[in-house]
Amino acid sequence: MIRTDRLPRPVRAIPVASALGGTDPGVARGPAALLSAGCLDACPGLVWDVPPLLPQAGPRLQSLGKLCRSLARRVERTMTSGALPLVIGGDHAIAAGTWRGVGRALGAPPGLIWLDAHLDAHTPASTPSGNPHGMPLAALLGQGAPELTGVPGPALDPAHVCVIGARSFEASEPALLDHLGVRVFNMAEIGRRGLGLVFAEALAIAGAGGRAFGLSIDVDVLNPDEAPGVETPVRGGLAAADLLPLFAGLGRLAGCCAIELVEYDPGRDRDGRTAAVVLALVRSLFAKV
Ligand SMILES: [Mn+2]
């Protein structure tokens, strides 16, 4: 018998070297740093798109809107070619492009699991910082800045979106998500019920009725002791050891349509430990189980 570890479909990394959404330019170097840390070995057969997508100069939200449109096109083309997009940021604002492109390729919005220390559900009217990387989930749900909500593609269906790991947010954000009907599993609930149960429930929400689902993974969802290399660390996050077994083989499932990995900042890493844990996540997602 011949054993093969071949992936059921090609996986194509789409690097997005953008720090437009935050204040630290370091996250723009995330994709290149993960490539040199061995990302290609973490997912055998991974194809790395070149050149990376780069933002153009201009007013911030306008530049970001353009970048998101390019990214959405790239994601759509990747899926149409039969490959799974692995979008590598860059800060989380690019999600406003990724999941519109996924929706276009599918012809319907995907279910989505958003792993994040934050809720990313601000609008330009509610944000205290003004940073667009706090806005992409709201934008994907059709709320907020027209530069981001206007990226062509279907808005997400809040009934099939959930957030895991939230522990730092302003009151307007859970209010908006609650109003729309997005299920938020915050750290208090995860502590009470356990990550395994919560993750299974999240998969059931995002993939209900066989719908295609994706993962948007903000590295700051992890505990900063394990993953200090992020722009906005928040104490009390997920332990990689708890998350890794739940991720095992998800990227091989037919229902999984795209994966996004954002906010890795090599300039804030310590001894390469964040890069190592990010690559462990990638390895697990595409592991044969
Ligand atoms: Mn985020």
Side-chain angles (χ1 to χ4, degrees):
M1 192 175 89
I2 298 168
R3 269 197 49 181
T4 170
D5 285 340
R6 192 185 264 210
L7 292 161
R9 76 207 127 159
V11 182
R12 197 166 186 103
I14 304 176
V16 188
S18 166
L20 272 182
T23 53
D24 185 341
V27 287
R29 298 197 307 274
L34 290 173
L35 184 59
S36 36
C39 199
L40 295 178
D41 301 324
C43 175
L46 180 69
V47 176
W48 193 274
D49 245 12
V50 282
L53 281 168
L54 292 167
Q56 321 241 308
R60 179 149 78 158
L61 274 175
Q62 276 177 39
S63 306
L64 197 51
K66 280 188 203 158
L67 178 67
C68 286
R69 283 166 189 261
S70 307
L71 174 56
R73 281 195 298 272
R74 185 92 71 102
V75 166
E76 182 185 17
R77 271 207 307 275
T78 300
M79 289 178 65
T80 307
S81 79
L84 178 90
L86 174 64
V87 175
I88 301 185
D91 73 73
H92 214 165
I94 61 171
T98 299
W99 302 102
R100 297 281 179 159
V102 170
R104 252 155 51 189
L106 293 171
L112 187 59
I113 302 179
W114 191 277
L115 293 121
D116 206 314
H118 309 89
L119 291 173
D120 293 356
H122 272 299
T123 66
S126 75
T127 171
S129 72
N131 289 326
H133 71 163
M135 305 177 187
L137 185 53
L140 286 166
L141 292 159
Q143 308 289 316
E147 292 87 346
L148 303 181
T149 58
V151 178
L156 294 176
D157 176 349
H160 299 289
V161 177
C162 48
V163 181
I164 293 180
R167 57 196 184 276
S168 172
F169 41 80
E170 276 78 40
S172 68
E173 298 179 278
L176 175 65
L177 294 179
D178 194 49
H179 169 74
L180 295 171
V182 171
R183 179 73 161 92
V184 175
F185 300 98
N186 60 29
M187 285 310 296
E189 179 172 355
I190 293 166
R192 225 169 34 241
R193 301 177 62 207
L195 184 60
L197 210 57
V198 160
F199 200 79
E201 209 173 304
L203 278 172
I205 291 169
R211 92 173 27 225
F213 69 92
L215 300 172
S216 187
I217 307 160
D218 188 320
V219 177
D220 71 25
V221 76
L222 295 168
N223 202 308
D225 296 337
E226 286 185 273
V230 295
E231 185 177 329
T232 47
V234 187
R235 279 188 301 145
L238 301 182
D242 293 338
L243 194 55
L244 286 168
L246 300 170
F247 270 11
L250 279 186
R252 290 173 167 267
L253 295 179
C256 179
C257 56
I259 298 174
E260 180 173 63
L261 199 48
V262 294
E263 297 279 349
Y264 169 55
D265 184 343
R268 292 173 189 247
D269 205 355
R270 291 205 295 270
D271 335 309
R273 74 177 84 160
T274 313
V277 81
V278 170
L279 295 190
L281 294 179
V282 173
R283 206 170 290 119
S284 178
L285 285 165
F286 297 104
K288 200 170 162 79
V289 289

